[in-house]
Amino acid sequence: MANKNDDTDEDEFALFRREMRDATRIRQNRLIHNQPKPVAKAIRQKIIDDEYQGEPFSDMFSPETVGNEEYLEYRGPGIQHKLFGKLRNGKVHIEAELDLHGMTIAKAEPTLSEFLEFCQQQQIRCVRIIHGKGWGSRDNKPVLKSKLNHWLRQSQIVLAFCSATVDDGGTGALYVLLKRLFQE
């Protein structure tokens, strides 16, 4: 007595072979995996002073509102044209990043102050701060971008800043050049 299962398997296998006879084998010697993007982080991790002092920002007058797509730039006294040109073109090595995108003003201000203080303690020279373009805020106005423009100009730590290149966030992010802290 013949087993019906074996006959069915052979028929299906024969049918598969008939259908695939014109197919050509694809030779591939490597697999392509979609790897997750690396998480941006400060290169230096150790905090020198555990006690956070923070730099307060003044809100005595309200800063002028900047446009969603408006290019921002500030150059403090003594910053060389060549260095500022490198910063503007995204040619200065970014050592740390802060993402304020979506934060409220009340949360963003102390976060920014603490981040700048940390970077100065760690001798970090250039950072990228992502603030977004403000399309998701009330009235589609870039509130955080305007405040950041005002706050960074007040900071004693900030030497210069400008909007990032398109690859790094465009007018939704800033490159910030920081003053080095000289320790004895």
Side-chain angles (χ1 to χ4, degrees):
M1 202 152 96
N3 190 352
K4 286 186 179 182
N5 250 354
D6 289 341
D7 292 341
T8 309
D9 288 344
E10 285 180 27
D11 290 343
E12 287 179 10
F13 188 69
L15 176 64
F16 177 76
R17 283 193 167 267
R18 257 194 322 271
E19 292 297 320
M20 293 301 186
R21 70 177 167 256
D22 295 334
T24 56
R25 176 177 266 177
I26 298 174
R27 303 245 183 242
Q28 184 175 350
N29 62 356
R30 63 179 173 199
L31 293 175
I32 300 172
H33 296 285
N34 290 337
Q35 296 178 347
K37 292 182 180 178
V39 177
K41 59 184 177 187
I43 292 173
R44 299 178 189 112
Q45 298 284 326
K46 185 182 170 201
I47 296 178
I48 295 170
D49 184 11
D50 290 336
E51 209 173 293
Y52 166 66
Q53 298 299 320
E55 180 179 12
F57 298 109
S58 170
D59 277 335
M60 292 299 285
F61 66 95
S62 83
E64 60 184 60
T65 303
V66 295
N68 301 70
E69 296 292 335
E70 188 173 335
Y71 183 87
L72 298 179
E73 77 176 27
Y74 163 77
R75 184 168 75 193
I79 300 300
Q80 298 173 347
H81 295 290
K82 188 174 181 179
L83 178 59
F84 191 70
K86 282 182 172 182
L87 184 69
R88 207 177 0 205
N89 293 325
K91 302 290 186 200
V92 179
H93 176 67
I94 305 296
E95 297 178 72
E97 180 178 282
L98 175 65
D99 191 351
L100 298 174
H101 188 244
M103 284 188 188
T104 63
I105 297 296
K107 178 121 172 78
E109 184 180 11
T111 303
L112 174 66
S113 181
E114 187 175 331
F115 177 73
L116 292 176
E117 188 76 26
F118 169 78
C119 289
Q120 190 177 41
Q121 289 175 355
Q122 296 301 307
Q123 300 293 326
I124 292 174
R125 181 77 165 150
C126 186
V127 298
R128 178 175 48 212
I129 299 175
I130 302 169
H131 51 73
K133 295 184 180 182
W135 295 116
S137 65
R138 193 176 321 167
D139 301 326
N140 288 331
K141 302 276 186 195
V143 178
L144 191 56
K145 181 178 180 179
S146 299
K147 286 287 194 177
L148 201 60
N149 184 32
H150 177 65
W151 291 337
L152 291 176
R153 290 172 191 267
Q154 292 179 33
S155 176
Q156 300 297 316
I157 298 172
V158 175
L159 296 173
F161 66 84
C162 63
S163 291
T165 60
V166 176
D167 293 338
D168 283 338
T171 56
L174 293 171
Y175 296 134
V176 183
L177 191 64
L178 303 175
K179 186 185 291 185
R180 288 208 173 113
L181 179 66
F182 293 103
Q183 298 175 343
E184 295 178 8

